[in-house]
Amino acid sequence: MMSPREDCACERRERPLGARDPEANSVGAILRTTGERERNLTPGKLNENKMVDRLANSEANARRIGMVESCFGAAGQPLTIPGRVLIGEGVLTKLCRKKPKARQFFLFNDILVYGNIVIQKKKYNKQHIIPLENVTIDSIEDDGELRNGWLIKTPTKSFAVYAATATEKSEWMNHINKCVTDLLSKSGKVPSNEHAAVWVPDSEANICMRCQKVKFTPVSRRHHCRKCGFVVCGPCSEKRFLLPSQSSKPVRVCSFCYDLLSTGQLTATLPNRSEFYRGSLQSPRNLSDEDDDEDSSD
């Protein structure tokens, strides 16, 4: 993850998915390096909040953020605003609709940014910006090759990511939680209890997860319910329902969710996923996000 060097990770060499970069440190490397530098200048203990405050107006922080902007190019959104601090960055494995994929993540003190890797450490596209005050995270149990994972949940989208090591996972989760807590404390807002469903990967369902009858083929395509995230067939997902946190227009939902939503038995707030799956026909082990696939409209 982000090196204490100030030349930014954009200039580092490529490494394979899941492999550790020997030159990189953890997501909190910037804060630790700043803390060591400041302790040499100022006796006494510096807490993380004070280190973030000192970084906010530093030239090094401005340079790091500027280099992240340059990696996304003109298609990316500007990231430099007063008070914003780059905490760290790194490659995480993100579960997408088709398969796990490497994505570059940048953790700031108020947002989480990620994108597709076009040229490792030099160019990214499909920039996504997630306000941290809307984020909640949950740890995921290890499952075969998918280890060191957690869910990133927001009202508009939710997905699973995996770190290369347990230490990386712990540091990512700790820093994200710390940033969220600080933001909510300053704003006086309460943590969000609403989050979008995490999509079940296509590979987890050979037949419709609702009717348990239709087998998926090139003709009988897979669709995803925007409410529960299940993989369903066309006949089981003909209905649309307005989920304001996800879209200004009605979105595809399965017949099961539609009936519950229409009768008020299911609200716009998705319950805890383990509760939602209780009693369901199928309980998939992997949870994905759809946004990185070209055919993600369904």
Side-chain angles (χ1 to χ4, degrees):
M1 294 189 172
M2 179 158 280
S3 168
R5 298 181 308 159
E6 295 179 357
D7 57 356
C8 185
C10 299
E11 299 178 358
R12 271 189 241 123
R13 65 178 179 272
E14 183 175 357
R15 69 175 185 263
L17 172 61
R20 287 286 291 161
D21 184 343
E23 297 180 3
N25 287 312
S26 65
V27 68
I30 292 177
L31 296 183
R32 285 198 297 272
T33 304
T34 302
E36 291 168 2
R37 184 184 303 118
E38 294 292 342
R39 277 191 290 272
N40 290 333
L41 299 174
T42 307
K45 184 178 180 180
L46 265 177
N47 63 33
E48 185 170 315
N49 287 339
K50 290 183 179 179
M51 284 188 279
V52 169
D53 290 341
R54 295 197 182 208
L55 277 170
N57 299 314
S58 70
E59 291 184 5
N61 179 64
R63 183 163 55 251
R64 291 184 184 111
I65 295 178
M67 296 185 78
V68 174
E69 289 178 330
S70 70
C71 286
F72 280 103
Q77 295 295 314
L79 299 172
T80 302
I81 65 170
R84 177 167 290 165
V85 174
L86 177 59
I87 305 298
E89 56 90 9
V91 176
L92 297 174
T93 299
K94 178 172 173 289
L95 284 188
C96 301
R97 177 176 177 176
K98 298 296 184 183
K99 62 181 180 179
K101 297 178 182 178
R103 295 289 181 259
Q104 185 74 25
F105 281 78
F106 299 91
L107 177 63
F108 297 81
N109 60 333
D110 63 334
I111 58 175
L112 182 66
V113 178
Y114 70 92
N116 295 7
I117 302 171
V118 179
I119 303 176
Q120 184 79 2
K121 303 303 179 184
K122 292 183 179 180
K123 183 179 180 181
Y124 313 115
N125 65 10
K126 295 188 178 180
Q127 183 191 69
H128 298 267
I129 300 177
I130 302 174
L132 284 179
E133 65 180 10
N134 296 327
V135 168
T136 56
I137 58 176
D138 287 329
S139 181
I140 301 174
E141 293 184 4
D142 292 345
D143 180 17
E145 295 182 357
L146 294 173
R147 306 177 65 83
N148 311 312
W150 67 97
L151 290 178
I152 297 176
K153 304 185 295 184
T154 79
T156 56
K157 67 184 305 178
S158 303
F159 54 90
V161 293
Y162 292 83
T165 68
T167 299
E168 279 190 33
K169 171 185 174 177
S170 177
E171 292 200 333
W172 270 102
M173 292 189 71
N174 287 340
H175 282 293
I176 291 173
N177 275 327
K178 180 67 167 59
C179 290
V180 172
T181 300
D182 290 344
L183 282 171
L184 294 176
S185 176
K186 292 176 181 178
S187 68
K189 296 180 180 179
V190 297
S192 174
N193 63 354
E194 180 180 354
H195 60 85
V198 186
W199 285 22
V200 176
D202 287 0
S203 60
E204 290 294 306
N206 293 321
I207 62 174
C208 175
M209 296 176 68
R210 285 304 181 194
C211 69
Q212 295 281 291
K213 295 177 181 178
V214 175
K215 184 176 181 180
F216 296 123
T217 68
V219 177
S220 299
R221 296 180 55 207
R222 293 172 172 84
H223 304 277
H224 278 83
C225 172
R226 291 344 190 239
K227 186 60 182 175
C228 66
F230 276 20
V231 184
V232 291
C233 64
C236 284
S237 59
E238 293 177 337
K239 304 291 181 127
R240 300 289 191 276
F241 200 90
L242 181 63
L243 302 177
S245 63
Q246 296 189 39
S247 175
S248 59
K249 299 179 180 180
V251 294
R252 181 188 294 270
V253 294
C254 67
S255 54
F256 176 79
C257 288
Y258 181 83
D259 290 341
L260 294 180
L261 288 164
S262 299
T263 57
Q265 298 180 61
L266 188 63
T267 66
T269 301
L270 190 69
N272 179 278
R273 198 163 184 94
S274 62
E275 294 175 0
F276 195 86
Y277 278 128
R278 190 176 296 135
S280 296
L281 296 172
Q282 214 169 322
S283 182
R285 56 190 176 87
N286 296 334
L287 306 172
S288 73
D289 173 44
E290 85 289 358
D291 63 1
D292 300 311
D293 294 297
E294 293 181 358
D295 57 343
S296 63
S297 59
D298 290 320

